[in-house]
Amino acid sequence: MLDLFELYFYEDCPYQDESAELLRLEGRGKMKIVSRENGTCACAGDLAEYYERKGLKNLNCLRDGQTFKPGDTILEAEGDLKLLFRFWRVSQTFLTLMCAIATKTASMVSAGRKANSDLMIATSRKTHPGSRVFELKAVRAGGGDIHRNSLSDSVQLSQNHLEVAGDLKKLRALKKIEIEPRSREEAFKYAEMSDIMLLDHLSPEEMRELGPELKKLNPKLELAVGGIEAKRIPEYAPLVDIIVISAPYYANPLDFTTKIERL
């Protein structure tokens, strides 16, 4: 399997660190990545495991889902000084992004479950290329769930599928079948064959009217809504079982700083 950290660090330093070479840096050092704000940790352990494989010693790292405050150390390692300088910037950037996703997810989960304690906040497949494995872990670290990991792990019949496939007949699958109807009529038509029905871009008023009618046809049906802004989660939370959202992936990076010292 491709080691993504190898790719990340090779991209930033394909040959040698010219600054470290100019200063002739040698010896051992210690590096700390420290937060300047509150948040929820994600993927520091993955980075620490990579460091260990490269001969650095992990002194401390926060666990997935662990909260932190300004001044807290997210990751601390020691070892070859040149290697620490090579890893510094990419490591800091990686953690500011993953922890931001976890923090944003945690905020959304908290907002939604105040209105519906059983609500699932599930993120979509709209991850950044080359980062999916970590971004999905970050969502889970924040208490969220994953709508779809990939095309290979679930069945979702979108409006485009319905446009091309035409009228659906009886469907059977080992996986849950999720259908995204194009109209109110299709919602009623396919309610009984669906395990999950994704109702995109409907207003809360429309959901309040349509949801109970669909569940009368199929009491086991789970209702999902997508295409909404994060700030509207509390409005939709009492009306659905699942909110599908991509916003955590685009959370503003958290503010971290890195300190390196010679041992």
Side-chain angles (χ1 to χ4, degrees), residues 120 153-156 173-179 193-196 220 222 242:
M120 298 176 70
D153 65 49
S154 61
V155 176
Q156 183 192 356
L174 291 176
K175 301 179 186 297
K176 286 186 176 182
I177 296 173
E178 179 175 352
I179 297 178
M193 71 171 66
S194 302
D195 296 298
I196 301 170
K220 294 182 179 179
E222 292 185 284
I242 305 163

Side-chain angles (χ1 to χ4, degrees), residues 12-29:
D12 194 52
C13 186
Y15 305 112
Q16 60 185 9
D17 179 348
E18 292 293 343
S19 302
E21 294 298 324
L22 178 64
L23 296 175
R24 301 182 184 277
L25 294 182
E26 302 289 346
R28 293 178 60 80

Side-chain angles (χ1 to χ4, degrees), residues 35-244:
S35 178
R36 291 189 173 118
E37 57 183 310
N38 296 316
T40 299
C41 186
C43 301
D46 298 273
L47 192 56
E49 288 178 8
Y50 179 79
Y51 278 17
E52 292 276 358
R53 295 200 301 272
K54 291 299 180 179
L56 297 174
K57 183 179 180 181
N58 171 40
L59 301 178
N60 175 42
C61 74
L62 298 187
R63 303 182 307 277
D64 282 0
Q66 191 170 351
T67 58
F68 53 82
K69 59 185 184 301
D72 284 352
T73 297
I74 310 300
L75 175 68
E76 182 177 12
E78 70 173 43
D80 181 75
L81 202 52
K82 267 188 192 176
L83 199 54
L84 291 176
F85 271 93
R86 181 184 169 205
F87 285 176
W88 157 29
R89 179 59 67 189
V90 172
S91 298
Q92 179 181 313
T93 301
F94 172 79
L95 289 175
T96 63
L97 294 170
M98 298 308 134
C99 293
I101 292 171
T103 302
K104 185 73 170 178
T105 303
S107 173
M108 293 180 180
V109 170
S110 176
R113 290 191 178 160
K114 287 177 183 176
N116 177 357
S117 60
D118 293 324
L119 180 72
M120 298 176 70
I121 298 291
T123 53
S124 69
R125 286 169 38 239
K126 297 177 185 176
T127 55
H128 295 89
S131 299
R132 180 172 298 188
V133 63
F134 297 121
E135 292 186 355
L136 297 184
K137 287 191 72 172
V139 167
R140 293 196 185 278
D145 214 315
I146 311 302
H147 181 228
R148 304 181 78 197
N149 290 330
S150 69
L151 290 174
S152 303
D153 65 49
S154 61
V155 176
Q156 183 192 356
L157 305 182
S158 68
Q159 294 184 5
N160 281 328
H161 286 108
L162 298 180
E163 186 69 31
V164 172
D167 191 35
L168 299 181
K169 306 302 180 185
K170 184 177 179 181
L171 298 174
R172 293 188 67 201
L174 291 176
K175 301 179 186 297
K176 286 186 176 182
I177 296 173
E178 179 175 352
I179 297 178
E180 180 190 1
R182 293 171 291 178
S183 65
R184 180 187 179 92
E185 292 69 34
E186 280 191 343
F188 285 111
K189 185 176 183 179
Y190 298 135
E192 292 184 81
M193 71 171 66
S194 302
D195 296 298
I196 301 170
M197 183 159 284
L198 179 60
L199 300 166
D200 260 11
H201 304 288
L202 292 188
S203 70
E205 293 72 28
E206 290 171 312
M207 288 296 307
R208 192 173 289 110
E209 177 193 354
L210 186 60
E213 294 183 42
L214 293 172
K215 290 207 173 192
K216 281 181 184 176
L217 293 173
N218 180 357
K220 294 182 179 179
L221 179 66
E222 292 185 284
L223 295 177
V225 66
I228 69 168
E229 294 181 88
K231 65 183 180 182
R232 303 197 68 186
I233 286 175
E235 294 179 63
Y236 283 88
L239 308 172
V240 296
D241 304 292
I242 305 163
I243 291 178
V244 180

